[in-house]
Amino acid sequence: MTSNAATLLDTAAALAAGGHALTAEEVAAYLCDHPDFLVRHPDLYRALVPPRRVHGENLADHMAAMVAAERARTRQLEAEVQAAIDDGRAGAALVLRVRLATLALMRSRDIPETVSQELPALLRIESCAIFAEPAGAPSFLPGRRAPAETSLPRQGVRMLPPGTIARLVGRGRDARVRTEITDAELLHAEAAALVTRDAVARVPLWCGTPCMLALGARDAAALPARQAVTTLAFLGRAVAAALSR
């Protein structure tokens, strides 16, 4: 209810407190003298209870349906605004945790172990691991001595069938938060039963070997569906930079 409607109700309450209780007839008379009252104060429609039928038993009151729909829409908008606020807070918290994870990667000497052992606690999730697909033909870049097949550590990186990363992350995407989880046991192993939401992020290696990061969370707020993709994409690039050292 807006301030105008609240003021009117406060005025009526004050009159009642002063010994003058408004009667239904007085209210009706006032509305008759001011037929545009509800037009000037449409917010009152949200507080009033409209009649269900005003044209007999055969004709429904469409105004009542319109008011009910408006109230439902208002409740929906309020819920959406609150969800956006909650996701914003969760997204900000994720940014802070990813910064801590990046610092851990910078000082790490065993990236896969840091990802699987340290990052879950820092990110407040249940599982985190690096995955890769078999590399194709050996490829070299200027200034690099290692071929694509040896650009990843031999231990701690889990292998996936060719094409799996493109299927999970999606073509043209750098990261994705998933509320409907597939391949849970493949990605999260023994933590699969605990995971209610997960995320996958590409790890763009210099050598071109398809590689990704998979994160699984028990608490959905740890991986917000909105405002998280950019942050997770940055984490994937941070892991790629750490692997290239």
Side-chain angles (χ1 to χ4, degrees), residues 173-217:
R173 292 182 176 181
D174 292 324
R176 178 185 176 193
V177 176
R178 307 189 306 166
T179 55
E180 296 183 3
I181 303 172
T182 61
D183 305 280
E185 293 185 358
L186 175 64
L187 300 180
H188 310 299
E190 64 276 4
L194 302 175
V195 173
T196 62
R197 177 176 294 182
D198 74 352
V200 288
R202 292 186 187 275
V203 177
L205 299 176
W206 65 269
C207 60
T209 300
C211 186
M212 79 171 191
L213 201 62
L215 306 88

Side-chain angles (χ1 to χ4, degrees), residues 91-181:
L94 179 62
V95 169
L96 177 59
R97 294 196 295 270
V98 166
R99 289 176 180 174
L100 297 176
T102 302
L103 292 176
L105 292 169
M106 291 174 63
R107 60 173 170 75
S108 173
R109 294 186 178 181
D110 188 333
I111 304 303
E113 181 179 7
T114 298
V115 167
S116 62
Q117 301 301 319
E118 294 188 41
L119 262 56
L122 292 173
L123 298 173
R124 297 182 183 178
I125 58 178
E126 306 305 316
S127 67
C128 189
I130 302 174
F131 293 84
E133 295 178 8
S139 61
F140 297 88
L141 292 178
R144 298 283 186 174
R145 294 178 297 174
E149 287 87 340
T150 59
S151 60
L152 284 170
R154 294 182 178 274
Q155 301 295 328
V157 176
R158 304 180 192 176
M159 301 306 296
L160 293 173
T164 304
I165 294 177
R167 175 174 60 85
L168 294 177
V169 182
R171 297 189 182 279
R173 292 182 176 181
D174 292 324
R176 178 185 176 193
V177 176
R178 307 189 306 166
T179 55
E180 296 183 3
I181 303 172

Side-chain angles (χ1 to χ4, degrees), residues 5-18:
T7 301
L8 292 170
L9 294 180
D10 290 342
T11 302
L15 290 173

Side-chain angles (χ1 to χ4, degrees), residues 14-144:
L15 290 173
H20 180 74
L22 293 175
T23 65
E25 290 76 12
E26 289 174 322
V27 174
Y30 179 86
L31 292 176
C32 287
D33 292 338
H34 302 81
D36 62 341
F37 180 78
L38 291 177
V39 175
R40 290 185 287 109
H41 304 283
D43 46 291
L44 286 175
Y45 279 113
R46 294 181 177 177
L48 297 175
V49 178
R52 290 297 177 184
R53 294 181 184 274
V54 295
H55 302 298
E57 292 299 325
N58 295 326
L59 297 177
D61 178 13
H62 292 282
M63 181 61 72
M66 292 171 63
V67 172
E70 171 63 19
R71 290 175 177 172
R73 177 57 179 165
T74 299
R75 290 192 294 269
Q76 180 183 354
L77 288 175
E78 291 174 349
E80 290 177 357
V81 169
Q82 186 59 49
I85 292 173
D86 293 341
D87 280 346
R89 292 172 178 169
L94 179 62
V95 169
L96 177 59
R97 294 196 295 270
V98 166
R99 289 176 180 174
L100 297 176
T102 302
L103 292 176
L105 292 169
M106 291 174 63
R107 60 173 170 75
S108 173
R109 294 186 178 181
D110 188 333
I111 304 303
E113 181 179 7
T114 298
V115 167
S116 62
Q117 301 301 319
E118 294 188 41
L119 262 56
L122 292 173
L123 298 173
R124 297 182 183 178
I125 58 178
E126 306 305 316
S127 67
C128 189
I130 302 174
F131 293 84
E133 295 178 8
S139 61
F140 297 88
L141 292 178
R144 298 283 186 174

